[in-house]
């Protein structure tokens, strides 16, 4: 089977630190070109590799025979670069956020539809093992029908500092906003599309000065049917939490991104010693199970890496999505995350900015 030839455009952070290791680990993929305006970054990324480098992506598209481009530049540049790549007929995988506005996403959808070129957006958290487990358990009906989803991210960060570049401060919330797509697309995966956005609130607890405009944000929305509540809260001034709650008619499921585990509560007895004991015992058993599962997974990953086996990357969300994107391009099937799915995330981010 021939090698799937990939070019990475943007060698700042996600390109060399997320996409390149995943491509290197893939048995059928190869990074054949790097492109970045910063020649120093290009030299660092290409060090020790026999690889073509470019400072002009147009030149790269003309010179290289590519199966895909991974677009890892700041989101302010995504519309123009992605449009050119799509029009050149090269499939493209775009880092989140896909664009700066819903209008820009709509333009990308138009270009994709006109050309038929495959386009996908990186929503890597959806492909983490614990999120995949949660999706399966919810879809199997374990907690009944979903009635609401809640996403909580809290951390203690200085939002005036960033290792990514000043482009971050053009996003709503700056460094907090850069990671906010994760907190939006994950809960949206568990409901039937985004409907009305009912309310948005922001706080500036630490009295940041512009360009940092807030250090906390909350969004309340409904799904397309108007039957399920979507709650998203992001804080940069509190203790570390990173948890998804899926509330169902028969119980509640939690995805803890810090502990990397899934916890389910289905006991509906209220305020009794028996119910408390049952729930505590269940929580303890699930915690032990998740710890063991994480430990075994880590050990297997180390062992597979020593054997240079691609199974070492099965817990890497970027790797799994890249693998599925390659398969979709090769088999002419649906890409793992569509522009339409990413549009819903951008709509929520726009509401935060307004």
């Amino acid at each position: 089977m021939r090698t799937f030839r990939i070019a990475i455009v943007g060698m700042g952070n996600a390109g060399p630190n997320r996409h390149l290791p995943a491509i290197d680990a893939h048995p059928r993929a190869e990074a054949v070109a790097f492109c970045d305006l910063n020649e120093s970054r290009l030299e660092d990324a290409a060090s020790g590799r026999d690889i073509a480098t470019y400072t002009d992506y147009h030149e790269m598209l003309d010179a290289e025979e590519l199966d895909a481009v991974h677009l890892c530049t700041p989101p302010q540049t995504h519309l123009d670069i992605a449009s050119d790549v799509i029009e050149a007929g090269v499939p493209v995988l775009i880092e989140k956020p896909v664009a700066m506005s819903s209008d820009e996403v709509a333009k990308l959808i138009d270009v994709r539809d006109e050309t038929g070129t495959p386009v996908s957006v990186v929503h890597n958290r959806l492909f983490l093992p614990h999120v995949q487990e949660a999706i399966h358990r919810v879809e199997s009906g374990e907690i009944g029908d979903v009635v609401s989803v809640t996403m909580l991210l809290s951390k203690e960060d200085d939002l005036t500092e960033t290792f990514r570049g000043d482009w971050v401060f053009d996003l709503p919330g700056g460094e907090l906003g850069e990671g906010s797509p994760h907190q939006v697309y994950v809960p949206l995966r568990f409901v039937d599309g985004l409907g009305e956005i009912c309310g948005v609130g922001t706080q500036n607890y630490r009295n940041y000065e512009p360009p940092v405009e807030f250090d906390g944000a909350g969004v309340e929305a409904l799904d397309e049917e108007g039957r399920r509540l979507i709650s998203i809260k992001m804080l940069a001034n509190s203790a570390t939490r990173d948890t998804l709650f899926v509330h169902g008619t028969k119980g509640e499921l939690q995805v803890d991104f810090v502990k990397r585990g899934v916890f389910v509560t289905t006991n509906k007895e209220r305020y009794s010693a028996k119910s408390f004991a049952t729930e505590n015992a269940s929580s303890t058993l699930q915690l032990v199970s998740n710890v063991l599962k994480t430990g075994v997974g880590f050990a297997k990953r180390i062992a597979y890496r020593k054997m240079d086996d691609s199974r070492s990357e099965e817990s890497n969300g970027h790797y799994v999505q890249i693998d599925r994107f390659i398969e979709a391009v090769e088999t002419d099937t649906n890409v793992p995350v569509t522009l339409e799915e990413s549009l819903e995330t951008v709509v929520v981010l726009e509401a935060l900015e307004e």
Side-chain angles (χ1 to χ4, degrees):
M1 186 175 293
R2 74 178 187 85
T3 300
F4 194 87
R5 296 168 56 85
I6 299 172
I8 301 176
V9 179
M11 301 305 295
N13 177 47
N17 297 323
R18 296 289 184 265
H19 289 250
L20 183 56
I23 295 168
D24 285 344
H26 199 283
R28 295 185 291 104
E30 179 185 5
V32 298
F34 296 155
C35 182
D36 198 288
L37 293 175
N38 187 313
E39 293 187 4
S40 176
R41 283 204 296 249
L42 277 177
E43 291 176 5
D44 289 343
S47 178
R49 294 174 179 267
D50 181 17
I51 192 166
T53 59
Y54 300 87
T55 56
D56 185 332
Y57 70 89
H58 297 99
E59 181 183 342
M60 180 193 73
L61 291 172
D62 289 339
E64 300 289 337
E65 292 185 9
L66 300 171
D67 294 304
V69 165
H70 288 203
L71 183 53
C72 304
T73 56
Q76 294 89 333
T77 67
H78 285 181
L79 175 62
D80 290 342
I81 300 176
S83 296
D84 289 341
V85 174
I86 295 167
E87 288 176 345
V90 180
V92 59
L93 179 62
I94 308 172
E95 260 296 340
K96 58 81 188 161
V98 61
M100 294 295 289
S101 69
S102 54
D103 286 343
E104 289 189 354
V105 183
K107 291 177 181 178
L108 287 174
I109 290 173
D110 287 343
V111 178
R112 179 206 62 191
D113 290 347
E114 290 170 3
T115 62
T117 305
V119 182
S120 188
V121 182
V122 175
H123 286 180
N124 54 293
R125 275 194 162 196
L126 294 179
F127 303 94
L128 295 171
H130 38 289
V131 178
Q132 288 288 298
E133 177 188 345
I135 292 170
H136 172 73
R137 294 176 73 169
V138 170
E139 291 181 346
S140 72
E142 184 172 349
I143 62 169
D145 293 332
V146 174
V147 295
S148 71
V149 291
T150 302
M151 187 76 213
L152 170 63
L153 170 71
S154 65
K155 54 185 179 177
E156 191 166 353
D157 277 354
D158 182 349
L159 298 184
T160 63
E161 298 180 356
T162 179
F163 63 88
R164 306 176 199 278
D166 289 345
W167 60 266
V168 165
F169 297 116
D170 291 333
L171 303 177
E175 184 68 24
L176 180 64
E178 195 281 333
S180 60
H182 295 304
Q183 318 312 320
V184 178
Y185 68 68
V186 170
L188 288 179
R189 176 60 180 80
F190 292 84
V191 297
D192 296 325
L194 177 67
E196 178 187 0
I197 296 179
C198 307
V200 177
T202 60
Q203 67 176 154
N204 191 355
Y205 181 80
R206 294 183 178 174
N207 296 314
Y208 283 108
E209 299 289 339
V212 178
E213 297 179 347
F214 57 83
D215 58 4
V219 178
E220 297 289 333
L222 294 170
D223 73 344
E224 279 186 339
E225 297 180 353
R227 297 179 61 238
R228 297 171 180 87
L229 183 64
I230 305 161
S231 300
I232 301 167
K233 183 180 290 184
M234 297 172 284
L235 304 171
N237 47 43
S238 187
T240 300
R241 290 287 302 278
D242 194 355
T243 309
L244 170 73
F245 302 86
V246 184
H247 312 282
T249 55
K250 296 180 180 178
E252 176 189 274
L253 178 145
Q254 295 182 31
V255 181
D256 191 318
F257 288 90
V258 178
K259 296 184 177 73
R260 300 186 180 186
V262 178
F263 303 86
V264 174
T265 302
T266 57
N267 189 341
K268 300 191 73 172
E269 293 184 50
R270 301 181 62 191
Y271 308 120
S272 70
K274 179 183 176 182
S275 68
F276 289 147
T278 301
E279 185 171 335
N280 286 336
S282 174
S283 297
T284 301
L285 288 172
Q286 290 184 75
L287 178 60
V288 171
S289 174
N290 278 301
V291 169
L292 291 173
K293 190 183 300 182
T294 300
V296 170
F298 181 76
K300 289 171 66 175
R301 186 173 184 179
I302 296 299
Y304 284 137
R305 279 188 172 175
K306 288 181 178 179
M307 295 185 290
D308 198 24
D309 190 316
S310 63
R311 283 178 291 180
S312 65
E313 302 304 313
E314 289 177 351
S315 62
N316 179 340
H318 273 90
Y319 176 88
V320 175
Q321 183 170 358
I322 288 169
D323 178 60
R324 295 189 185 184
F325 178 64
I326 291 172
E327 181 180 1
V329 171
E330 291 181 331
T331 59
D332 193 25
T333 52
N334 294 333
V335 296
V337 176
T338 66
L339 286 171
E340 286 79 4
E341 290 173 274
S342 68
L343 174 60
E344 294 184 336
T345 297
V346 173
V347 168
V348 174
L349 299 182
E350 280 184 315
L352 282 175
E353 188 170 20
E354 293 171 1

